[in-house]
Each structure stands twice: as structure tokens, then as C-alpha cells.
Amino acid sequence: MSDSLEAVAAAFVPGQVQSSTPLGNGHIHATFAVDMETEDGPRAIVLQRLNTQVFTDPDALMENMQRVARHPGVAAWVPGLLATPEGKVLLRTPERECWRAWERVPNTESFDLVENVAAAREIGRAFGAFVSGLADLPGPPLHATLPDFHDTAARLAKLEAAIAEDRVARVAEVRPEIEGLRRRASLTRALDREALPERVIHADTKANNVLFDRATGRAVAVVDLDTVMSGLLAWDFGDLVRSAGNAALEDEADLAKVSLRIDVFGALAEGWFETAGALMTPAEQASLAVGPQVMTYELAVRFLTDFLEGDRYFRIRDPAHNLRRTRVHLHLLASMENQHQEMEVALHRAAGA
Ligand code: GN1
Ligand code: MG
């Protein structure tokens, strides 16, 4: 355990750290489950060291997060943010690290892989409730903490730039992947932003950003609000499907295991319609059919870009990690293309349920 972690924990919650363990599988920040002993007894918190290379304006980030977390429509879904006795929600250490903390939601778990349809339904319901709850967020637009985050065309342009630069000489080994992505470039235009309303969305609707109550199996919290921003519901639903609808992990080496599970897709859609059905315009409903392909494509583009740039963005476990992720997403995309009609049918069923 690092000294800084102990000191940071005590700055948020006066007391002694008993134990700390890495929490979750996020690719950006470093997150820890920390158990403390305080004057009032044991206290379970989450501590997170921000990646300020990615989020260069942590104050804007925290402002967004607090506005969202306080909004009555979603407050019940969001873990309580902790402040220091001076009222700061962001702590800067002398080493210029930025840390924040939350109450740990007791007896919860999250899943990188969604294996049953009941869990999928819960995840759809949770994110649907989240976007519905934010539909009437008052005040000015949220800060764009990561500009053009889901601008798929801009992501593809960045990939082309990385190919042209080839800074770590990896282009030669990824010709088939480049070809697969170039061939599908029309996906960057598949969502018509003129025809779809801008909403406040989560923008990182990974399966593991939903916490489940271990006892009831119900979704009880939505976490990772860093990317909450203006955008399209098709992005949130699409990213949800690319993450939770995959029969395998997003970095699975055995591509034979990768596919869109249509039963899980149907359950995600059912859960989503249960809580967001009333919110959506007809054009938004229609956009849910292509959203998953767009988001799966976008992630393939981002992972390959990072691979070609020398792995500067996503945390990796080995040099081929981003390439594996790219291949999984291309494979998943092909599986979605093959099941496009079944997806349409499942969406209609969910809409009518
Ligand atoms: C990152 O932080 P994490 O692991 O929840 C990324 C998402 C990607 C995801 C892919 C800020 O999310 O956009 O979809 O990895 N977050 C950021 O697993 O770039
Ligand atoms: Mg996360």
C-alpha cells in the first residue's frame, strides 16, 4: 500500500486504513477498495487516482459529476461522493496526483462478462433509468471534458493519421484489421445527428459500470460518471450492447468465443425500454438498431489507433493487448452484421412489451 493512498484516505475520512485492494477493471484511472477504522467504527470507501493525461481538466470533470449526482432523477442510482473536512471533492497531493473518494455501496458486485439474461435486463434497466433521469437536468450544458468523444468520423481520421505516421512500426502486421475498418467507414455516417435529439448521456455504458446487489441480483447503482456529456441515446445503448452483449470478454484471445448473444441483446433492449421507452422519439428508437454497430466499430478504431500509437491511452497487460481488443471488436461487429434482422425483431418486441 502506498503512503499516498493512506494519507489520501485519511484526508477524506479521518481514520486508519486497514486494507486496500485494486477494484474493478477500468482502463483509465486507478481504483481501490479501502477499508478503514474510524472513531465511529469501520468504514468502506472507494478511492480513485485520476488519470490526468486523459482528463486534463479534473475540476470541470468533478463539476459535471456533482451536478449529475445531485439531480433528483438519478441521485438514487449514484454512489455518494465524499468531501474532505474543507469541502473538497478533489484532493491534490504534493506530487500533483488527483484523488477522489466515494462511499462503497455495500454488498454489491459488477460483471465484466454478462452470462445471464436476467443480469442483462437489469443493466439495460439501469442505464435506461440513468438517461431518463437526466432528461430534465436543468442549467447550462455540461463541460465537454473529452471533446468529440463519440465522434466516430474523427476517431477514424485519427486512425488514418496513426497509420500514416506508423510511429512504432506496427502497421505491417495489422493490414487485415485496417482493411476491415476502412471497408466499414460508412458506419461513421450511420447515425444522423440532425435527426436525433441531443441528450445528457452516460457515454461509458460498460457492463461493469453497473453495480448489482449480491443478495437480490438487482442493479442498484451506476458508476463511472466521468464521461457524462451531451450526446445520442444510440451511443449509450450501442456501447451497452457492445460491452454486455458480447459472449466473450472484450480482450478474448479466442475469437471463436466472440459473438453477439441475441438472447442477451433482447434482454438488454427489454430493460432499456422499461425505463427509457417513454423518453425516446421514433427516430431514436429506430437508431438503436445501428447504434451497437457504430459503437463496436468506434472501439475497434480506438483500440487499433492506440496499438499503432504505441499504447499510450488504454491500460494494457501485454504488447498485443490492444490488438486483441481490436480483433474482438471487428469479430463482434461481423456477428452484429450477420444478426441485424434478429436484432431488429428483438427491438420491436422490446418496444411493444
Ligand atoms: C474505457 O475507464 P473504462 O475502462 O470504464 C474508456 C471507454 C471505453 C472502454 C473500453 C474515458 O472505459 O471509452 O469504451 O475503456 N473510457 C475513456 O473498455 O476513454
Ligand atoms: Mg469504468
Side-chain angles (χ1 to χ4, degrees), residues 32-246:
F32 305 87
V34 179
D35 288 306
M36 302 191 65
E37 196 52 52
T38 74
E39 277 193 351
D40 308 321
R43 193 79 185 268
I45 66 168
V46 173
L47 272 190
Q48 193 170 58
R49 187 179 63 235
L50 265 70
N51 180 332
T52 48
Q53 310 265 34
V54 170
F55 291 98
T56 52
D57 187 350
D59 294 303
L61 178 80
M62 296 310 286
E63 210 179 297
N64 280 354
M65 181 172 290
Q66 283 182 286
R67 271 184 67 194
V68 167
R70 286 191 193 123
H71 187 59
V74 291
W77 281 101
V78 179
L81 199 59
L82 297 180
T84 65
E86 304 79 51
K88 283 192 209 146
V89 291
L90 190 69
L91 195 84
R92 286 184 167 84
T93 67
E95 302 80 40
R96 309 188 70 80
E97 293 176 355
C98 284
W99 290 80
R100 57 190 172 173
W102 294 268
E103 292 298 347
R104 212 148 81 230
V105 189
N107 302 316
T108 53
E109 59 187 334
S110 67
F111 305 108
D112 294 332
L113 191 66
V114 177
E115 280 165 304
N116 67 68
V117 293
R121 200 191 159 102
E122 285 298 300
I123 294 176
R125 187 177 69 80
F127 283 122
F130 189 83
V131 291
S132 296
L134 285 173
D136 62 349
L137 182 76
L142 295 167
H143 300 293
T145 51
L146 298 172
D148 305 327
F149 190 62
H150 283 322
D151 183 335
T152 314
R155 297 286 190 182
L156 181 59
K158 232 185 129 206
L159 172 63
E160 290 295 350
I163 295 168
E165 190 182 355
D166 197 11
R167 78 160 51 215
V168 287
R170 285 175 164 176
V171 166
E173 60 178 298
V174 296
R175 286 286 172 208
E177 287 75 20
I178 291 173
E179 157 57 21
L181 291 171
R182 282 183 174 157
R183 190 153 44 83
R184 295 174 168 101
S186 65
L187 277 174
T188 61
R189 298 180 297 276
L191 291 169
D192 178 3
R193 292 194 67 171
E194 303 293 300
L196 297 166
E198 289 279 322
R199 309 262 189 201
V200 179
I201 63 161
H202 184 283
D204 188 8
T205 49
K206 275 168 94 156
N208 63 15
N209 282 335
V210 172
L211 304 186
F212 283 77
D213 184 306
R214 287 181 198 269
T216 64
R218 299 277 288 181
V220 291
V222 170
V223 299
D224 202 350
L225 308 191
D226 294 334
T227 50
V228 171
M229 62 175 73
S230 294
L232 307 183
L233 291 184
W235 295 344
D236 266 6
F237 181 76
D239 201 25
L240 172 63
V241 172
R242 82 104 205 140
S243 163
N246 188 353

